[in-house]
Amino acid sequence: MPKRENISMSVIRRLPRYYRFLNQLKRDGVTRISSTELSAKLGLTASQIRQDLNCFGGFGQQGYGYIVEQLAAEIGRILGVAHNYRTVLFGAGNLGRAIAAHMDFEELGFELIGIFDNAPQKVGTVIRGMEVLNTASFEDFCKDNKPEMAALCIPRTAVEATVDRLYPLGIHSYWNFSHYDITMKYPDAVVENVHLNDSLLTLCYRISNNPEASHEPTKK
Amino acid sequence: MPKRENISMSVIRRLPRYYRFLNQLKRDGVTRISSTELSAKLGLTASQIRQDLNCFGGFGQQGYGYIVEQLAAEIGRILGVAHNYRTVLFGAGNLGRAIAAHMDFEELGFELIGIFDNAPQKVGTVIRGMEVLNTASFEDFCKDNKPEMAALCIPRTAVEATVDRLYPLGIHSYWNFSHYDITMKYPDAVVENVHLNDSLLTLCYRISNNPEASHEPTKK
DNA sequence: TAGATTGTTAATCGATTAACAATC
DNA sequence: TAGATTGTTAATCGATTAACAATC
């Protein structure tokens, strides 16, 4: 296996996009592509794409380009999509239910094996054909199922106690939708944050500071 | 009003975090803070915080630091949280309903004024005390309500046609949850993407390539 | 005044882009 | 072989960090 020592987050965050595009090309029946063609479709430079890919190995062929199917497979392997990490979801509120129902966990390297909530009125309800379990039973659940990742769709105030409980059970990876900063207390944890509030605020900033802003319908 | 010409996205994406922390400090009764104290709480360097703030003006006082309440207000003003941009939500599926119910639009510079969906079985249902309207009635709705932003919780395949419809109605800002790239066709549009799939894939990468990975419960 | 901390300039670091030799 | 395009090194650009003079 190739180099891959100190890949920067900038590179890592581009990989899913490459993966998505290549799979689309594959479905469209495209068999080969050059970095220049790919860069036009993605709005990047060809140089950057070649640099990014060469962090992991030489997947192309001089004078020819890249074989779409092969490159998609390589990136899939790099991302680890075949791992199917056993995943539990904490929080069956609006957001948790949407995430459970909406995400294609299986295509993205994860397998959703359990949904947990504290609230008695949520326990027993069914999401995506899966019964919401009581958080109280989580230790028992772990004995049989050994989850590896937890998606946290719970309030900020509940996250610390939840991670304190999950971390010693071997769950060291978190997809975190709250603004609680898990890595402050658990620097070894692998944490991916989704900060919807921050995302919306940056949009607000950019609307407010957009010189093009017209806020007026196009005149006919 | 101060400088503010060419603020980089790196800086803009840190502003919501500053804003959140400062509001928390305010609630905690903290009245003043130095860049060094703030940097410790945020896990950044003091230098970076001062550089960031000085993109917008000198909000501090030498030898003293920053007045929490005042700085929070300044950043709020910079972000534009008081604008309450009139917002419509397209798509009342799992994700759309969760976004409608879960987000505090009002605190984040937006006001949700309408939810739209094509599906007859969704039209008329109520989310957050708001009736889902038929997309067919959107032009009429615009005459009275003049929305400025659209949150798009619709399938990727529906986005192009939707933006083709909304853009001429004066809606040039989008909070986009699909993987359709709006700026390719509308380079002037202000677009904030939330790519949940990409987020999950980067987590997968980092779990797969984490040298610390044990995937084993802590021994007692 | 002395101490502290900002605002700002300069130095460093990292990421992107350009260039080109290697090679299919 | 000639043409094309990669892999990779070098140059540029931008972002972060360090240093310190200004000043409260």
Side-chain angles (χ1 to χ4, degrees):
Chain A
M1 205 171 294
K3 7 199 165 175
R4 194 188 315 195
E5 289 146 24
N6 232 2
I7 314 297
S8 77
M9 275 307 283
S10 314
V11 174
I12 296 168
R13 294 213 174 274
R14 281 190 291 270
L15 294 179
R17 193 136 172 271
Y18 295 154
Y19 187 60
R20 193 151 34 81
F21 260 75
L22 288 162
N23 279 310
Q24 187 56 53
L25 287 171
K26 206 170 81 178
R27 279 192 298 272
D28 293 346
V30 180
T31 55
R32 66 178 258 203
I33 194 158
S34 71
S35 58
T36 307
E37 290 172 281
L38 200 52
S39 72
K41 284 181 187 291
L42 289 161
L44 302 172
T45 64
S47 228
Q48 183 165 64
I49 293 173
R50 293 203 302 277
Q51 285 275 28
D52 285 353
L53 297 178
N54 282 88
C55 292
F56 304 99
F59 304 131
Q61 216 170 305
Q62 274 109 328
Y64 180 87
Y66 300 87
I67 296 165
V68 170
E69 182 156 7
Q70 187 198 302
L71 187 56
E74 288 287 2
I75 297 181
R77 200 180 45 72
I78 291 163
L79 287 167
V81 291
H83 275 113
N84 280 309
Y85 293 113
R86 289 181 297 279
T87 298
V88 288
L89 172 66
F90 274 69
N94 290 306
L95 189 59
R97 290 203 308 277
I99 291 301
H102 182 261
M103 297 300 298
D104 287 325
F105 285 101
E106 298 72 22
E107 291 173 20
L108 302 165
F110 299 89
E111 185 196 356
L112 185 62
I113 59 170
I115 304 171
F116 292 84
D117 202 292
N118 281 329
Q121 69 271 26
K122 280 175 191 146
V123 172
T125 60
V126 174
I127 309 171
R128 204 197 218 194
M130 198 174 272
E131 203 175 304
V132 176
L133 303 174
N134 194 314
T135 307
S137 67
F138 187 63
E139 277 75 8
D140 277 349
F141 178 89
C142 283
K143 281 182 199 133
D144 297 335
N145 297 284
K146 300 218 179 306
E148 294 149 309
M149 193 276 268
L152 304 179
C153 296
I154 54 182
R156 190 178 57 80
T157 49
V159 175
E160 184 171 2
T162 300
V163 175
D164 283 345
R165 196 169 161 198
L166 304 200
Y167 197 92
L169 291 163
I171 303 170
H172 301 167
S173 304
Y174 303 94
W175 199 28
N176 174 37
F177 284 77
S178 84
H179 282 106
Y180 176 81
D181 188 349
I182 295 170
T183 52
M184 283 280 185
K185 193 164 174 184
Y186 296 96
D188 290 343
V190 179
V191 179
E192 169 71 10
N193 294 305
V194 179
H195 287 165
L196 295 174
N197 284 10
D198 290 7
S199 170
L200 197 49
L201 272 179
T202 66
L203 180 60
C204 188
Y205 172 89
R206 287 183 291 151
I207 298 173
S208 307
N209 296 276
N210 180 19
E212 309 279 323
S214 77
H215 301 316
E216 283 304 316
T218 310
K219 294 289 180 294
K220 295 229 189 65
Chain B
M1 205 171 294
K3 7 196 163 177
R4 193 189 316 192
E5 289 146 25
N6 233 2
I7 313 297
S8 77
M9 277 306 285
S10 313
V11 174
I12 296 169
R13 294 214 173 273
R14 281 190 292 269
L15 293 178
R17 193 136 172 269
Y18 294 155
Y19 186 61
R20 193 152 32 83
F21 260 75
L22 287 162
N23 279 308
Q24 188 56 52
L25 287 171
K26 207 171 81 178
R27 280 194 296 274
D28 293 346
V30 179
T31 55
R32 65 178 257 200
I33 194 159
S34 70
S35 58
T36 307
E37 289 171 281
L38 200 54
S39 73
K41 283 181 187 291
L42 288 160
L44 302 171
T45 64
S47 229
Q48 183 164 65
I49 293 173
R50 293 203 301 278
Q51 286 275 27
D52 284 354
L53 297 177
N54 281 88
C55 293
F56 304 99
F59 304 131
Q61 214 169 308
Q62 274 108 329
Y64 180 87
Y66 301 87
I67 295 165
V68 171
E69 183 156 6
Q70 186 198 304
L71 187 56
E74 287 287 3
I75 298 181
R77 200 180 46 72
I78 291 163
L79 287 167
V81 292
H83 276 112
N84 280 308
Y85 293 113
R86 290 181 296 280
T87 298
V88 288
L89 171 66
F90 273 70
N94 291 307
L95 189 58
R97 290 204 308 277
I99 291 301
H102 181 264
M103 297 299 298
D104 288 325
F105 285 101
E106 299 72 21
E107 291 173 19
L108 303 165
F110 299 88
E111 184 196 356
L112 185 61
I113 59 169
I115 304 171
F116 292 84
D117 203 292
N118 282 329
Q121 70 272 25
K122 279 173 192 148
V123 173
T125 59
V126 174
I127 308 170
R128 205 199 217 192
M130 198 174 272
E131 203 174 305
V132 176
L133 303 174
N134 194 314
T135 308
S137 67
F138 187 63
E139 277 75 9
D140 276 348
F141 179 89
C142 284
K143 282 182 198 133
D144 297 334
N145 298 283
K146 299 218 179 307
E148 294 149 307
M149 192 275 267
L152 304 179
C153 295
I154 55 183
R156 190 178 57 79
T157 49
V159 176
E160 184 172 3
T162 301
V163 176
D164 284 344
R165 196 168 162 198
L166 304 200
Y167 196 92
L169 292 163
I171 303 169
H172 301 167
S173 303
Y174 303 93
W175 198 29
N176 174 37
F177 284 77
S178 84
H179 282 106
Y180 175 81
D181 188 349
I182 295 170
T183 52
M184 283 281 186
K185 193 163 172 185
Y186 296 97
D188 290 344
V190 180
V191 179
E192 169 72 10
N193 294 307
V194 179
H195 288 165
L196 295 174
N197 284 11
D198 290 6
S199 170
L200 197 49
L201 272 179
T202 65
L203 179 61
C204 187
Y205 172 89
R206 287 183 290 151
I207 298 173
S208 307
N209 296 277
N210 180 19
E212 310 277 324
S214 76
H215 301 315
E216 282 303 318
T218 310
K219 294 291 178 296
K220 295 232 188 62

